[in-house]
Amino acid sequence: MGTSAETFQLSLDAAEIYESKFVPALFGEWAPHLLDAAAVHAGQVVLDVACGTGVVARAAVERLAGNGAVVGVDLNEAMLTVARRLSRDVGWRQGDVCALPFPDASFDVVLCQAGLMFFPDPAQALREMARVARDDGTVAIQVWASLAEQPAYRPFIEVAARHAGPDAVSLLSAYWVLGDLEFVCSLLDSAGLDVTAATTRLGTARFESIAELVRIEVESTPLIDRIDADVYGKILADAGEALAEFRTSEGRAEIPIAGHLIAGRKRPPPRDIAPAVDSPALHPKGPPGP
Ligand SMILES: C[S@@+](CC[C@H](N)C(=O)[O-])C[C@H]1O[C@@H](n2cnc3c(N)ncnc32)[C@H](O)[C@@H]1O
């Protein structure tokens, strides 16, 4: 995963792999928790921002149980092609989170799972999410916690840095850049959202093996272009040892991954303040003299 909007113009094959591999391995588990954080319930109109192949939007459709509406928006057409194939119960739209293609106050709830860290301007993205939420509506996001809080990714990235140099840390770290919970809460507040819930949860990412996890992390990032076969082999071998405690008896990998779930309520615009009785505005020529 990269950090710029362009990086996300994926091929259809990549979007299919995302849905068949990464959604069950990682993202699917978080969708119900994000809906819980936003208290999504029947009767609401819900937007899933950076919906990808639509795992959150589909979970919202189930929760609304025929009473309400769900829209999913993503920059990437290939992701949306897969999303459209999987559900006709969601209104899928192509669009950039930094200029959402919806009028103000269109949604009761705006959700964004595992997206904010990839947007070029997260503060603007949150302002846009707040703009399209109605007054008192909810914006809820999920982001991964910081690398320091990751029980498995932290030792893995230490192994990569040992063999590939300190650059490896930033090359493998796009996921964790919004891991500071207080900072993300302050971004919501600046976007006009009162934070109502902020929790950190430990989920489980599931892979066929530790080696598969290493291959995904190395080969889907620019690190693959910086290392030769020898270094790659050392990273694979040492990661196998460093992550041994996360290998199941069948050789599969169950990797703990920490994420934050944050919900905010949109502050209504300030009401016009009636002038105080002795306000100079009532005495344009100045207050009466003694
Ligand atoms: C890691 S995926 C998460 C997808 C989905 N929310 C999920 O949980 O499976 C990140 C998504 O953000 C989308 N994205 C990246 N930049 C975007 C932008 N500026 N506007 C809208 N979507 C964007 C990508 O196309 C991708 O589908």
Side-chain angles (χ1 to χ4, degrees), residues 4-284:
S4 73
E6 292 74 25
T7 311
F8 280 99
Q9 289 311 324
L10 300 175
S11 68
L12 189 53
D13 275 358
E16 291 287 6
I17 290 170
Y18 181 87
E19 174 60 30
S20 61
K21 196 155 205 121
F22 292 99
V23 170
L26 176 58
F27 299 98
E29 178 192 283
W30 288 83
H33 296 284
L34 184 60
L35 300 186
D36 288 346
V40 171
H41 59 80
Q44 291 184 315
V45 181
V46 177
L47 175 65
D48 178 13
V49 169
C51 61
T53 53
V55 65
V56 171
R58 292 194 301 275
V61 165
E62 271 185 37
R63 191 146 314 179
L64 298 181
N67 180 4
V70 181
V71 175
V73 63
D74 199 280
L75 193 61
N76 192 280
E77 265 305 336
M79 289 290 208
L80 291 168
T81 301
V82 176
R84 285 189 189 100
R85 176 172 64 69
L86 293 171
S87 176
R88 290 163 185 253
D89 296 326
V90 175
W92 303 109
R93 282 283 295 270
Q94 205 259 345
D96 187 335
V97 64
C98 291
L100 285 170
F102 308 107
D104 296 357
S106 302
F107 300 95
D108 299 305
V109 177
V110 179
L111 305 169
C112 181
Q113 173 167 291
L116 202 65
M117 58 291 250
F118 298 120
F119 303 151
D121 185 347
Q124 166 64 9
L126 281 166
R127 281 194 293 276
E128 271 297 272
M129 292 187 228
R131 179 185 67 74
V132 301
R134 66 165 169 74
D135 290 348
D136 275 335
T138 300
V139 174
I141 62 160
Q142 184 266 6
V143 290
W144 303 117
S146 65
L147 186 58
E149 294 169 84
Q150 301 297 343
Y153 281 93
R154 181 172 25 82
F156 163 60
I157 290 176
E158 280 164 10
V159 164
R162 193 157 70 236
H163 294 296
D167 262 13
V169 177
S170 57
L171 295 174
L172 292 170
S173 288
Y175 279 135
W176 329 113
V177 294
L178 287 180
D180 181 338
L181 184 57
E182 260 185 52
F183 174 70
V184 180
C185 288
S186 77
L187 286 182
L188 265 78
D189 187 65
S190 304
L193 300 160
D194 288 328
V195 173
T196 52
T199 56
T200 301
R201 126 171 231 283
L202 201 59
T204 308
R206 293 166 206 282
F207 300 96
E208 277 163 24
S209 61
I210 303 289
E212 191 201 26
L213 163 72
V214 175
R215 277 196 295 273
I216 288 167
E217 294 302 323
V218 172
E219 294 180 19
S220 66
T221 65
L223 184 59
I224 188 66
D225 302 322
R226 309 275 184 100
I227 57 176
D228 60 21
D230 180 47
V231 169
Y232 196 176
K234 287 181 177 148
I235 293 174
L236 268 168
D238 282 7
E241 260 178 50
L243 303 182
E245 65 181 292
F246 307 116
R247 187 181 289 118
T248 68
S249 50
E250 299 86 42
R252 297 182 58 79
E254 293 191 348
I255 302 293
I257 181 165
H260 303 310
L261 295 154
I262 307 154
R265 186 180 302 117
K266 181 172 170 178
R267 279 193 289 276
R271 291 200 325 204
D272 287 344
I273 298 168
V277 177
D278 61 350
S279 160
L282 295 178
H283 308 289

